Amino acid sequence: MQVQNSDTGDADVIKGEAAGHSSMPERRTGLHGWLDGIRSTRTGALTLKIVFGVVGTVMVVAGLIMVPFPGPGWAVVFAGLAVLAVEFHWARRVLEFGKRTLHAWMEWYKRQGWLVRIVVLVVTVAAAGVIIYCGLLALGFDAIEFVRGYI
């Protein structure tokens, strides 16, 4: 046996050989390795749960608020669930359920004829218009009266 460091004797060589025969997986690298390093202490694990929990919850709530409005509401909800899924198993299950449901709906929608697709589009645009009108009305701006002023 060759000695690598005279201070530790042949312990380095023995540990290196044992690691080579071990069935344990190698330590992960990149972001996952960094997160594993933080999770290795109780304080780090709790801090990660709190940070990911707060950020993910804010994203999900903001996305749910944006859902009725035109824009990326559902995308933000799914992104928030993905952030929560880093630390919480229940969020991973909800995210997988949501992806399966969205995929099933999109497959159903693709199988439909043009009439159903046009009806879905009209209903979606009408719902968005009503929501925007009510939102503007709540802010004190009546869009119908504004348009009538120019007709």
Side-chain angles (χ1 to χ4, degrees):
M1 255 185 218
Q2 184 180 15
V3 177
Q4 291 181 349
N5 184 342
S6 61
D7 292 338
T8 59
D10 59 354
D12 289 337
V13 175
I14 293 170
K15 286 186 340 188
E17 289 174 0
H21 300 305
S22 174
S23 63
M24 285 183 60
E26 289 187 36
R27 180 170 181 198
R28 297 191 293 184
T29 58
L31 180 63
H32 292 292
W34 181 71
L35 290 175
D36 289 344
I38 293 174
R39 284 187 195 104
S40 65
T41 64
R42 179 179 276 177
T43 304
L46 181 61
T47 302
L48 274 182
K49 277 203 182 287
I50 291 171
V51 168
F52 279 98
V54 168
V55 171
T57 302
V58 167
M59 288 177 71
V60 168
V61 169
L64 288 174
I65 291 170
M66 288 190 283
V67 163
F69 300 103
W74 282 113
V76 175
V77 170
F78 279 108
L81 282 173
V83 169
L84 286 170
V86 172
E87 286 295 317
F88 301 101
H89 186 65
W90 62 265
R92 194 172 301 119
R93 289 192 313 258
V94 171
L95 181 61
E96 289 302 318
F97 171 77
K99 289 194 300 190
R100 279 192 317 268
T101 304
L102 178 64
H103 180 71
W105 190 86
M106 289 303 294
E107 290 300 317
W108 173 85
Y109 184 72
K110 288 177 188 177
R111 289 191 309 266
Q112 302 308 308
W114 286 106
L115 180 63
V116 173
R117 288 183 182 191
I118 291 171
V119 168
V120 168
L121 177 66
V122 168
V123 168
T124 303
V125 170
V130 168
I131 290 169
I132 290 172
Y133 174 73
C134 291
L136 290 174
L137 199 58
L139 294 174
F141 180 75
D142 190 358
I144 294 176
E145 290 299 322
F146 180 76
V147 171
R148 283 185 183 164
Y150 288 101
I151 295 179

